[in-house]
Amino acid sequence: MIRIAAVGDVHLGEDARGRLRPALEHLRDHADLLLLAGDLTKHGTLAEARVVAEEFADLPVPVVAVLGNHDHHADVPEEIAGLLTEHGIRVLEGDSTVVQLDGAAVGVAGVKGFGGGFAGKCGSAFGEPEMKAFVRHTEEVAGRLRDALDRIDAPARIALTHYSPVTDTLRGEPLEIYPFLGSYLLAEAIDEGGADLAVHGHAHFGTEHGTTPGGVRVRNVAQPVIRCAYKVYNLHGHDGSEAQPA
Amino acid sequence: MSTKTPQYAAARLTQALASDPRTAELGVRVQLRGEHVYLVGEVASEERRRHLTEVVHELAPELTVHNEVGVVECREPSTAEELD
């Protein structure tokens, strides 16, 4: 069993310094790995990123993150990723990492993702350059997610995004804004890449549980949805200690 | 701010909550009913919750603000979900 803790949309800043840390003190009792599903800051500034870095530094389990749209707002996402990396947080954008655990290994592939909408109700790369750029950006990041999942050499694979791959976990959000909350192209990449679990944030009014069309479990861990410091998912059947189906 | 057309007024307040650096909130709903505005959602701190009222009041002082936004909980989880 692999114990995965996850949270997104913590939106930390100076006014929320230390807000999560007390609940992280016993993290090792609950989980082997912590995933951060983007929107770690409020305005995407380096000052806020320092608060994030200190909040999640020196934890007893590996921490793997993607950035979200808020983390891009001040146009310094690479500097934010660098700062978090200096504090021991692995930041993914179109790449993957394999975490070695006691008797198990789990690979995490991550991208921020982007919008565009869902099958049959989505934008097309047609018309104005702005529209084509919007849709092609999502196509590009979904492609990078699929490639990153493909490259994982571990028995368990997790897809970590900020934007949602499915509409299931958007229930509660207005239908009209679904195209800004995610894209089915992310789900297609998750299914083709053979993920065992997909974790995302972004949809504060959404719901926690969903599945991709290919049957991969999806969890929306935006903090206003999960209403706690992090959620824990125990992923069974990937560490060799449990019987695999024939 | 004119509130004669409530749909436009609600949209302007929503945009203000997103673009004002004090709030930068995309996850707060604004509902306008007559001369009352209701704010719904969750934010990360009490200070941010107060800023929501401030920003809306500055832009639309003629409205009564009902701030129903909560501060998101940060407790340790008590259970785990088993994924077989």
Side-chain angles (χ1 to χ4, degrees):
Chain A
M1 178 178 77
I2 300 164
R3 306 175 304 164
I4 300 148
V7 63
D9 304 78
V10 294
H11 293 290
L12 292 178
E14 285 293 341
D15 61 329
R17 183 185 288 278
R19 196 171 66 90
L20 283 163
R21 194 72 192 191
L24 296 169
E25 289 306 315
H26 304 109
L27 183 60
R28 190 74 186 91
D29 297 340
H30 301 288
D32 304 308
L33 169 69
L34 174 64
L35 304 179
L36 303 177
D39 276 6
L40 310 177
T41 64
K42 190 174 169 194
H43 303 91
T45 64
L46 277 175
E48 290 174 347
R50 270 184 212 102
V51 175
V52 175
E54 288 164 14
E55 199 85 357
F56 295 106
D58 303 320
L59 289 175
V61 303
V63 181
V64 181
V66 292
L67 301 185
N69 54 312
H70 278 249
D71 307 319
H72 281 248
H73 187 60
D75 299 324
V76 288
E78 288 170 9
E79 289 86 342
I80 289 176
L83 180 62
L84 298 181
T85 303
E86 284 169 19
H87 285 74
I89 299 166
R90 180 79 163 90
V91 182
L92 301 175
E93 180 50 49
D95 51 355
S96 63
T97 186
V98 172
V99 178
Q100 299 293 338
L101 307 169
D102 286 343
V106 58
V108 183
V111 291
K112 173 179 62 64
F114 202 49
F118 297 89
K121 305 172 186 68
C122 57
S124 299
F126 183 87
E128 303 91 326
E130 292 85 356
M131 191 64 197
K132 286 186 274 208
F134 178 76
V135 174
R136 283 180 183 151
H137 178 61
T138 308
E139 290 171 349
E140 184 201 330
V141 292
R144 284 195 272 138
L145 176 61
R146 185 177 53 245
D147 292 345
L149 281 164
D150 277 344
R151 285 195 296 271
I152 291 175
D153 183 15
R157 297 176 186 193
I158 300 170
L160 176 62
T161 62
H162 178 61
Y163 285 77
S164 177
V166 295
T167 56
D168 296 5
T169 50
L170 302 182
R171 282 191 305 266
E173 295 281 3
L175 281 171
E176 294 86 346
I177 69 166
Y178 277 20
F180 304 107
L181 298 178
S183 166
Y184 77 99
L185 295 170
L186 298 171
E188 196 172 26
I190 288 163
D191 285 338
E192 289 178 359
D196 298 290
L197 172 68
V199 172
H200 74 87
H202 195 44
H204 291 204
F205 289 102
T207 51
E208 186 184 351
H209 291 75
T211 50
T212 65
V216 177
R217 261 84 64 100
V218 179
R219 297 293 179 264
N220 175 4
V221 295
Q223 204 167 34
V225 171
I226 62 173
R227 294 174 173 273
C228 56
Y230 54 88
K231 283 303 286 272
V232 178
Y233 305 105
N234 292 336
L235 194 57
H236 292 266
H238 295 280
D239 58 356
S241 65
E242 294 153 86
Q244 298 286 329
Chain B
M1 186 184 77
S2 168
T3 53
K4 284 180 186 166
T5 311
Q7 290 88 344
Y8 295 143
R12 282 186 201 115
L13 292 173
T14 303
Q15 289 296 334
L17 293 180
S19 60
D20 192 297
R22 286 170 292 175
T23 48
E25 294 292 348
L26 303 174
V28 171
R29 283 185 184 157
V30 177
Q31 296 170 331
L32 206 54
R33 299 287 183 269
E35 293 177 351
H36 298 263
V37 59
Y38 297 84
L39 307 178
V40 181
E42 296 209 40
V43 294
S45 71
E46 185 57 41
E47 188 180 337
R48 291 183 199 179
R49 187 182 172 282
R50 284 198 302 272
H51 284 320
L52 297 169
T53 302
E54 248 174 58
V55 170
V56 171
H57 184 69
E58 283 172 14
L59 202 60
E62 71 280 14
L63 296 176
T64 303
V65 183
H66 301 274
N67 189 341
E68 298 176 354
V69 172
V71 176
V72 71
E73 291 182 44
C74 286
R75 63 188 161 76
E76 201 174 284
S78 53
T79 58
E81 182 184 350
E82 306 298 327
L83 299 177
D84 295 320

